[in-house]
Amino acid sequence: MKLPIYIESPAPNFKRFFMLGGALLLALAIAGQLLWPSMVLQFGILCLAAVSLISVGIAKHFEPPISVSLTKNSVRYFHRYGQWKLAWTNISRIHIPRFYHQLEHREISYIGVKVDDLEALIDNVSPRFASRIIHEHRDILALAISQGDINAAQAQINLSPFKLPSGFQIAGPLAPFFHQMILLEKLYGAHLFIPFSGFTTSPQEVVNQMNAIRKMR
């Protein structure tokens, strides 16, 4: 297997289409308001639609083109608001978590990564990134609530300091991130989750690649 492997993200796709289309639509709407003043309301709505398209294009522009990089020694996940990096030796499991519903197993739309030493993430995750991930993973907790695995109170954001096995305490934005990781690991066997939407290839293929490299270590 040739390394490194860079797995592309579909998030930035069509960013130029949205920005150019929005700009053209905005120009048309402004010209229409000048030429047909009686239709100012209709062209005003068109302006709003144009601004929305431009906003989507700008948002896509700031999305990372790579979602995951796989090297001989580590895996790195890229997100618009930050990233995390883990050595393969600090990962005990990579899988697609499943849950049991109506007599059949179903997948959640994430790749799960189980970490051996969470302390390695302290300097790898920024407070801004941690705060974003806490809210993005609420859908996983909502699934657990709907399945009856936890109640709404257990899914609340825990702002209390987080104590690591070494005795070191984490406070601030990182604390609820670590509390949530522990809860998610109990529910679905993984601390970190990478959404399927971050891949242009099959998620199972990504899992297979990651596990193949991990087992080489």
Side-chain angles (χ1 to χ4, degrees):
M1 185 181 297
K2 187 177 180 180
L3 297 174
I5 296 173
Y6 299 104
I7 300 173
E8 294 183 355
S9 169
N13 292 354
F14 306 111
K15 62 182 180 182
R16 291 187 179 86
F17 169 80
F18 281 100
M19 287 191 282
L20 181 60
L24 292 174
L25 196 61
L26 183 61
L28 177 63
I30 293 173
Q33 287 180 325
L34 296 174
L35 295 173
W36 296 283
S38 60
M39 298 180 65
V40 64
L41 179 61
Q42 289 87 340
F43 283 110
I45 294 173
L46 199 60
C47 277
L48 293 176
V51 170
S52 296
L53 286 176
I54 294 171
S55 298
V56 171
I58 293 173
K60 283 179 168 290
H61 177 73
F62 290 102
E63 292 287 350
I66 302 297
S67 59
V68 174
S69 69
L70 309 175
T71 68
K72 179 181 178 181
N73 298 313
S74 63
V75 52
R76 187 189 298 263
Y77 169 59
F78 299 91
H79 187 281
R80 181 181 176 185
Y81 291 91
Q83 57 182 274
W84 54 254
K85 178 183 177 181
L86 284 172
W88 294 114
T89 52
N90 193 23
I91 297 174
S92 59
R93 188 184 183 193
I94 301 170
H95 67 295
I96 297 176
R98 292 173 171 81
F99 63 97
Y100 198 64
H101 180 71
Q102 294 182 351
L103 303 180
E104 63 179 15
H105 287 284
R106 297 185 181 181
E107 298 177 345
I108 68 170
S109 300
Y110 290 87
I111 291 176
V113 178
K114 185 173 181 179
V115 184
D116 284 331
D117 182 13
L118 291 178
E119 199 159 345
L121 286 168
I122 296 176
D123 296 325
N124 268 318
V125 176
S126 69
R128 181 170 178 255
F129 180 42
S131 298
R132 185 69 182 186
I133 292 299
I134 288 169
H135 291 91
E136 286 190 2
H137 290 172
R138 301 301 292 175
D139 63 328
I140 307 177
L141 294 177
L143 171 63
I145 293 172
S146 70
Q147 291 294 110
D149 296 324
I150 56 172
N151 56 46
Q154 291 173 299
Q156 293 298 311
I157 295 175
N158 188 344
L159 299 175
S160 63
F162 181 86
K163 188 174 182 179
L164 289 160
S166 64
F168 182 78
Q169 280 199 341
I170 301 171
L174 286 181
F177 173 71
F178 276 78
H179 281 298
Q180 190 180 78
M181 280 197 295
I182 294 298
L183 178 59
L184 290 173
E185 192 278 327
K186 289 179 180 177
L187 291 168
Y188 297 110
H191 297 98
L192 298 171
F193 293 80
I194 306 173
F196 284 1
S197 58
F199 306 115
T200 55
T201 55
S202 161
Q204 186 59 59
E205 182 180 337
V206 176
V207 170
N208 293 342
Q209 286 179 319
M210 294 172 74
N211 277 321
I213 300 170
R214 183 174 65 88
K215 291 173 182 178
M216 289 166 54
R217 302 303 302 153

